Amino acid sequence: MTVCTRFAPSPTGYLHIGGVRTALYSWLHARRLGGRFILRIEDTDLERSTPEATAAILEGMEWLGLHWDAGPFYQTQRMDRYREVLAQMLAAGTAYHCYCSKEELEAMREEQRARKEKPRYDGRCRNRHEPRPGVQPVVRFRSPDQGETVVEDLIHGTVRFQNAELDDLIIARADGTPTYNFCVVIDDWDMGITHVIRGDDHLNNTPRQIQILRALGATPPVYAHVPMILGPDKQKLSKRHGAVSVLEYREQGYLPEALLNFLLRLGWAHGDQEVFHMDEMIRYFRIEDVHKAASAFNPEKLLWLNAQHIQAMPPADLAQRLWPYLQREGIDAACLRAGPELEQVVLALRERAKTLVDMARGALFFYRAPTEAVAADRDKHLRGRGELLRRAAEHLAELPDWTATSLHDALQALADVESEGKLGKIAQPLRVAVAGCAVSPPLDQTLAILGREESLRRLRQALAWTE
RNA sequence: GCUCCCAUCGUCUAGUGGUCCAGGACACCGGCCUCUCACGUCGGUAACAGGGGUUCGAACCCCCUUGGGAGCGCCA
């Protein structure tokens, strides 16, 4: 049987980082085994599901490159199927109507809690044959009360549950709509899911789902419950920890492969390797090797990985990825054409940028001449150095060829006469003059990329800032 | 409360009975490199939660304790 995995988020909010990791693991598992990966939207909670959330999930998955082979399927569009199975189960006696009111159930749970018992439905409607007038019944699954249900989990190993601990869960509400635990089971079954990879907060639901499947005569899939992701402080990950939505990471200039790499390594390792490219992730990832313990999100490491991926990416690709961020900084297509080759700029910037946002900001001055210098940098490096700028411009203007190496030699020669050979003394003023601030790629490279004409123009323009 | 899960440096992890006075990475602290900022590079600090077993031998196996987490909805 060919492997089939799925990612089944409910569209009640943005696609968060924990969800992305389970999606990644499912995707990777399917990819490595040549299987299929399905996307399913669990939108049975009409109250909280929104089309915006669905759109955000799809957008996030696409940005990450986690392509799905089928779907997205929507549970709200499968209601007829659920009702069909519900009717079958009712007829077969594996499910029954329950006429208990919410108040009655709450009172029962209260009593159980008072007795220090686990609150659970006691099955009082199991043998009721007469409807209660005026009460719309829910449908409950008839759960076995003896024996045990064993979950063979790929990550946790064998986990045993006493059936006596399982109560008769509600599988359809009074209004006839099916509930989560029921829909998942039917969907996974209908869609031929062979491996259910999901958060370990579902581990406790698994025996119930297995029981429903058995009642239906279906073979349960293989399960793998992945641990959750905690915030840096080991507390449940939430907004106060910073970005939790994937799309926020896009905004902040992270590469999807870096985010995926980070999430992959959170709870999984392949020896000492830290940086994984997509093909390696697919080749090496084994769901069986995922850790059992929850792990804390480490933003610094993500940042470091992002820098690694930025440096490893071919300049042409990187330039393409950078473009939207440059646009956001106000550079338009005409501006880009008028300036230096973006690949050259990217090449000069890539080892000092940790995010695409950093890089776009660092690239700005190549396309838009500074109209003024950063005040502190001007005061420190430019004030009173007008003569230096003039001589530098003169000197450089005579260069036969305008390349980084010849510029380097020329700058060194200039330093020899101006500052006893100390390049630092002249490089900073010149840098602030052409870049508008004290930080840029090496000056020789920067001038080479800017070109002769533009460099000289900027040096002359900066004379105004030396007063 | 009950059921289930989990436990190696601050963090992510390697490690599946001897090769571990525990290795790598991020972060941190020093040195080097250097025209700025970075990159890089060299070095350093830092962990097997505690207690019992099993064994010639335990980070690795078993039990208990402690600590964390999840679930116990007509939410998903």
Side-chain angles (χ1 to χ4, degrees), chain A residues 188-439:
Chain A
D188 287 340
W189 182 32
D190 285 351
M191 295 174 191
I193 305 299
T194 58
H195 300 255
V196 169
I197 298 171
R198 70 212 326 184
D200 68 3
D201 47 337
H202 291 289
L203 186 52
N204 286 297
N205 286 331
T206 307
R208 302 167 177 288
Q209 297 182 0
I210 290 177
Q211 286 304 337
I212 296 176
L213 248 7
R214 293 230 176 100
L216 257 15
T219 310
V222 175
Y223 295 93
H225 287 93
V226 325
M228 30 187 303
I229 297 178
L230 275 17
D233 56 359
K234 288 266 182 185
Q235 298 301 303
K236 194 167 181 167
L237 194 61
S238 68
K239 280 123 291 177
R240 69 193 167 79
H241 291 117
V244 277
S245 156
V246 265
L247 295 178
E248 283 178 63
Y249 286 91
R250 180 178 65 182
E251 295 318 300
Q252 292 176 13
Y254 286 90
L255 252 17
E257 33 284 81
L259 183 59
L260 256 17
N261 188 161
F262 173 74
L263 260 12
L264 173 77
R265 274 291 281 106
L266 213 55
W268 177 85
H270 182 255
D272 288 338
Q273 187 171 349
E274 296 290 348
V275 180
F276 293 84
H277 298 288
M278 295 310 293
D279 55 327
E280 297 174 303
M281 295 190 202
I282 294 170
R283 196 160 51 233
Y284 299 136
F285 179 76
R286 287 172 13 112
I287 190 74
E288 298 89 336
D289 297 337
V290 171
H291 253 230
K292 296 187 218 181
S295 38
F297 191 88
N298 180 186
E300 284 98 6
K301 188 152 183 180
L302 170 59
L303 197 58
W304 176 78
L305 275 170
N306 202 47
Q308 298 299 309
H309 281 269
I310 282 177
Q311 293 193 41
M313 184 170 286
D317 295 350
L318 195 51
Q320 210 167 49
R321 305 285 192 106
L322 182 64
W323 176 228
Y325 295 86
L326 261 183
Q327 284 176 291
R328 222 163 63 180
E329 297 292 336
I331 302 299
D332 60 20
C335 207
L336 185 73
R337 268 196 306 277
E341 198 61 50
L342 186 53
E343 265 186 62
Q344 294 305 311
V345 173
V346 156
L347 223 34
L349 288 167
R350 70 170 171 181
E351 67 202 23
R352 68 204 76 234
K354 291 211 189 303
T355 68
L356 293 176
V357 169
D358 285 352
M359 191 180 268
R361 296 204 174 124
L364 222 43
F365 79 84
F366 284 106
Y367 296 98
R368 197 162 61 204
T371 52
E372 58 179 2
V374 170
D377 296 337
R378 183 196 60 209
D379 292 348
K380 185 167 176 199
H381 301 293
L382 240 34
R383 205 170 286 288
R385 307 303 298 277
E387 197 47 39
L388 170 68
L389 294 195
R390 242 186 296 275
R391 278 204 289 271
E394 258 170 50
H395 184 61
L396 296 178
E398 291 165 11
L399 266 186
D401 59 330
W402 194 266
T403 63
T405 42
S406 60
L407 279 161
H408 182 83
D409 294 344
L411 289 169
Q412 187 57 59
L414 189 65
D416 288 342
V417 304
E418 294 287 334
S419 57
E420 300 163 328
K422 296 223 191 321
L423 204 46
K425 299 271 190 219
I426 65 157
Q428 283 305 80
L430 297 183
R431 169 175 282 115
V432 178
V434 299
C437 66
V439 174

Side-chain angles (χ1 to χ4, degrees), chain A residues 43-47 75 79 83 86 97-98 102 136-140 170-183:
Chain A
D43 54 353
T44 50
D45 184 349
L46 274 14
E47 302 287 304
Q75 291 187 322
M79 289 300 164
R83 270 189 261 277
L86 239 19
H97 287 297
C98 168
K102 289 185 183 181
Q136 275 301 311
V138 299
V139 178
R140 286 185 186 271
I170 292 175
I171 56 178
R173 305 180 182 94
D175 66 5
T177 58
T179 60
Y180 167 77
N181 275 108
F182 178 74
C183 298

Side-chain angles (χ1 to χ4, degrees), chain A residues 31-242:
Chain A
R31 285 291 168 272
R32 181 172 67 91
L33 269 17
R36 285 155 43 84
F37 173 68
I38 288 176
L39 182 61
R40 184 170 77 220
I41 304 295
E42 311 215 319
D43 54 353
T44 50
D45 184 349
L46 274 14
E47 302 287 304
R48 298 195 301 151
S49 299
T50 67
E52 291 75 25
T54 301
I57 289 167
L58 300 184
E59 191 179 350
M61 292 292 283
E62 272 162 16
W63 176 65
L64 291 163
L66 262 25
H67 303 301
W68 51 92
D69 302 305
F73 298 106
Y74 295 85
Q75 291 187 322
T76 44
Q77 291 172 10
R78 291 178 37 81
M79 289 300 164
D80 291 346
R81 171 59 178 156
Y82 303 137
R83 270 189 261 277
E84 177 190 342
V85 180
L86 239 19
Q88 276 173 26
M89 291 177 75
L90 247 11
T94 52
Y96 61 92
H97 287 297
C98 168
Y99 292 86
C100 296
S101 66
K102 289 185 183 181
E103 295 71 29
E104 189 178 351
L105 293 172
E106 194 39 55
M108 180 192 70
R109 282 193 281 260
E110 246 349 285
E111 276 174 42
Q112 289 165 330
R113 267 191 280 267
R115 270 182 270 134
K116 297 194 186 297
E117 283 171 14
K118 176 178 179 172
R120 50 198 294 285
Y121 182 64
D122 60 8
R124 59 184 66 176
C125 286
R126 276 182 178 181
N127 298 312
R128 171 187 296 279
H129 299 295
E130 298 304 307
R132 270 188 194 171
V135 179
Q136 275 301 311
V138 299
V139 178
R140 286 185 186 271
F141 173 62
R142 176 68 166 84
S143 187
D145 8 45
Q146 253 137 56
E148 62 176 14
T149 302
V150 179
V151 179
E152 294 293 350
D153 191 279
L154 253 22
I155 294 171
H156 290 276
T158 303
V159 184
R160 297 167 182 283
F161 294 86
Q162 291 305 309
N163 289 341
E165 292 292 332
L166 277 28
D167 63 355
D168 294 349
L169 74 155
I170 292 175
I171 56 178
R173 305 180 182 94
D175 66 5
T177 58
T179 60
Y180 167 77
N181 275 108
F182 178 74
C183 298
V184 188
V185 163
I186 305 307
D187 287 345
D188 287 340
W189 182 32
D190 285 351
M191 295 174 191
I193 305 299
T194 58
H195 300 255
V196 169
I197 298 171
R198 70 212 326 184
D200 68 3
D201 47 337
H202 291 289
L203 186 52
N204 286 297
N205 286 331
T206 307
R208 302 167 177 288
Q209 297 182 0
I210 290 177
Q211 286 304 337
I212 296 176
L213 248 7
R214 293 230 176 100
L216 257 15
T219 310
V222 175
Y223 295 93
H225 287 93
V226 325
M228 30 187 303
I229 297 178
L230 275 17
D233 56 359
K234 288 266 182 185
Q235 298 301 303
K236 194 167 181 167
L237 194 61
S238 68
K239 280 123 291 177
R240 69 193 167 79
H241 291 117

